[in-house]
Amino acid sequence: MQAPLQQLQHPLLQEHKLILWVKREDLLHPHISGNKWRKLKYNLQEAKVQGKETLLTFGGAYSNHIAATAAAGAEFGFKTIGIIRGEEHLPLNPTLQFATEQGMELHYISRELYRHKNEPYFLAELAVNYNQPYLVSEGGTNQLAVKGCTEIIDDIDVDFDVICCASGTGGTIAGLIAGLAGEKQVLGFPALKGGDFLKDEIDQLVYNYSGENYSNWQLITDYHFGGYAKVKPELLEFIHQFQEQHHIPLEPVYTGKMFYGLFDLIAKGYFAKGTRIVAVHTGGLQGNAGFKERLGIDV
Ligand SMILES: *Cc1c(COP(=O)(O)O)cnc(C)c1O
């Protein structure tokens, strides 16, 4: 499995004398996409070590993590159970249809109950009801996920100054920060509104993994476009243009927002001349089918 670095050509990069590579994590695996593969890798190993036969995890109805876990279970010989937020809608949307085809068993819980998904009593009940599965939290973020994401850094064979990624739960950026161990600069673009709440969680994730805290990173919270999975016409236009120029597909939930934000920062002169940037394409392209189905939007 390979995630090559692809250097972009763009007038703005020339103008500001910047070098920008895209780390194509979206090409790591056809179905266990991008950062979800990194986050699952050591969890799958741990589940095997513990002799578990089943993976149980959580997500929304269009979740990249649900799709990735279902595919990983099929490929590596685990049964998978997905606890899905909200009610069942038939026919299944493309994400849940795919998960089901990979053998995932879906269980729907109310939004109220879903809020308790990290509470010990709730997890204990699931463990009993589903025969002691290996539990993977929402978005797959835990210490083993952070470990997996440090390997994104190991995989980069060019010298760079700044690395950036989109952030949801913060597991991926925590891995980048831990992997760099205080070197270079890391930028996270939260896909959620009010992304500042992530700061402490990321610090905690980095600390739990490495026993250290680092200050060479920052969240850029201005590019959420109204909130998680919210889309605006200028974002879609940017994505279409980007795809046309660079032949790299994006999606509007994470990677589209990150690249929009990155190019906006570049245009505003945020980066010093000569800065070498790596932007991590975290994948998630399976979600585009859901946008088409739900909103009639062609991404
Ligand atoms: C899940 C996901 C993210 C967010 O990763 P976190 O580790 O939760 O911050 C970013 N990009 C894509 C494409 C994703 O699917």
Side-chain angles (χ1 to χ4, degrees), residues 35-36 39 64 141 166-172 251 254-255 282-284:
N35 65 340
K36 299 305 185 285
K39 295 170 88 171
N64 294 331
T141 290
S167 290
T169 62
T172 304
E251 44 69 51
Y254 295 105
T255 54
T282 39

Side-chain angles (χ1 to χ4, degrees), residues 25-298:
E25 298 280 300
D26 57 311
L27 300 176
L28 269 181
H29 189 283
H31 298 306
I32 314 172
S33 161
N35 65 340
K36 299 305 185 285
W37 165 246
R38 301 283 185 182
K39 295 170 88 171
L40 282 168
K41 177 179 165 188
Y42 289 105
N43 278 292
L44 297 171
Q45 288 185 9
E46 179 61 21
K48 281 266 193 268
V49 167
Q50 291 182 17
K52 300 287 189 184
E53 291 171 2
T54 305
L55 310 173
L56 182 147
T57 195
F58 311 84
Y62 294 89
S63 162
N64 294 331
H65 169 67
I66 286 288
T69 305
E75 184 159 334
F76 296 98
F78 295 98
K79 284 196 273 188
T80 51
I81 296 169
I83 306 291
I84 308 299
R85 183 183 64 228
E87 283 162 28
E88 180 180 36
H89 293 285
L90 294 173
L92 293 175
N93 74 39
T95 300
L96 297 181
Q97 178 64 34
F98 171 79
T100 304
E101 285 162 6
Q102 299 294 308
M104 183 176 260
E105 196 181 302
L106 303 178
H107 294 273
Y108 298 85
I109 64 174
S110 70
R111 282 161 193 277
E112 291 86 75
L113 199 52
Y114 193 85
R115 279 189 216 112
H116 298 267
K117 65 185 178 301
N118 294 325
E119 288 175 28
Y121 80 90
F122 183 68
L123 296 174
E125 200 175 292
L126 286 175
V128 171
N129 290 348
Y130 295 106
N131 197 20
Q132 309 295 334
Y134 184 84
L135 291 173
V136 183
S137 56
E138 187 187 41
T141 290
N142 59 14
Q143 202 162 317
L144 292 173
V146 172
K147 178 180 160 87
C149 289
T150 65
E151 295 181 350
I152 298 173
I153 298 293
D154 304 335
D155 255 16
I156 298 174
D157 57 3
V158 297
D159 214 0
F160 63 95
D161 306 294
V162 176
I163 189 165
C164 59
C165 71
S167 290
T169 62
T172 304
I173 191 174
L176 300 181
I177 295 163
L180 285 170
E183 284 181 45
K184 309 183 197 296
Q185 205 62 36
V186 188
L187 296 181
F189 292 79
L192 286 81
K193 201 149 130 180
D196 273 326
F197 76 92
L198 269 181
K199 185 113 199 354
D200 290 345
E201 290 182 25
I202 293 166
D203 266 330
Q204 194 63 51
L205 286 165
V206 172
Y207 188 82
N208 289 348
Y209 173 73
S210 64
E212 305 270 355
N213 275 130
Y214 300 105
S215 52
N216 60 325
W217 66 278
Q218 205 183 328
L219 294 176
I220 308 286
T221 54
D222 303 330
Y223 300 101
H224 55 72
F225 287 88
Y228 188 72
K230 295 269 176 15
V231 175
K232 298 226 165 108
E234 62 264 36
L235 176 61
L236 290 171
E237 197 181 308
F238 172 85
I239 290 173
H240 291 150
Q241 227 173 13
F242 188 92
Q243 290 176 164
E244 212 158 280
Q245 276 169 348
H246 307 296
H247 307 289
I248 299 176
L250 302 177
E251 44 69 51
V253 182
Y254 295 105
T255 54
K257 290 178 180 178
M258 178 197 66
F259 278 105
Y260 185 106
L262 180 60
F263 272 93
D264 199 45
L265 292 181
I266 289 170
K268 289 174 171 158
Y270 181 90
F271 299 100
K273 275 202 175 83
T275 304
R276 297 158 299 175
I277 306 165
V278 173
V280 181
H281 190 318
T282 39
L285 298 166
Q286 72 84 30
N288 282 345
F291 272 93
K292 185 158 178 64
E293 174 244 20
R294 196 157 47 108
L295 304 169
I297 292 174
D298 261 314

